[in-house]
Amino acid sequence: MPEATTVFTAVDTQDFDAFAAMLADESTFVFGNQEPFVGIEAILAGNAAFFTAVQRTEHHINRVWTVGPTTLAETDVTYTRLDGKEVTLPALSTWDVDEAGLITSYQVFADLTPVFAP
């Protein structure tokens, strides 16, 4: 099972190969109220597209709970906008893993409105 620090390091460094290695083939990824991405290629394409809208992210882990195959990670995420301004927002990420320890579903609960506000 991927540890929260491993997951968020892959995201924050935009190491999509490392992130892909944590995903099951038919995994799903949902950010907020967006449509789900299904499958590794779609998930990676969605994440790559997100990083054309912001320079970087930095996750600060507050708490992590793991119960069986499910992990919940409460974080504060600092987004560096394209104009260089930083916005820090709370988020909750959850993921489930299969018997092999690969992520089968990943969901992020966050409101990014302030990141893209003028």
Side-chain angles (χ1 to χ4, degrees), residues 27-50:
S27 53
T28 60
F29 182 94
V30 180
F31 197 108
N33 62 354
Q34 301 297 310
E35 290 296 317
F37 295 108
V38 179
I40 294 172
E41 287 185 32
I43 293 169
L44 295 182
N47 277 270
F50 175 75

Side-chain angles (χ1 to χ4, degrees), residues 33-95:
N33 62 354
Q34 301 297 310
E35 290 296 317
F37 295 108
V38 179
I40 294 172
E41 287 185 32
I43 293 169
L44 295 182
N47 277 270
F50 175 75
F51 281 106
T52 66
V54 299
Q55 288 184 29
R56 62 186 297 267
T57 60
E58 184 177 353
H59 288 76
H60 308 275
I61 299 170
N62 297 322
R63 292 185 279 189
V64 176
W65 301 269
T66 299
V67 179
T70 303
T71 297
L72 295 94
E74 178 188 302
T75 59
D76 290 319
V77 185
T78 300
Y79 298 87
T80 303
R81 298 168 17 145
L82 296 179
D83 64 5
K85 293 181 183 176
E86 293 184 344
V87 178
T88 301
L89 302 169
L92 179 71
S93 298
T94 69
W95 57 86

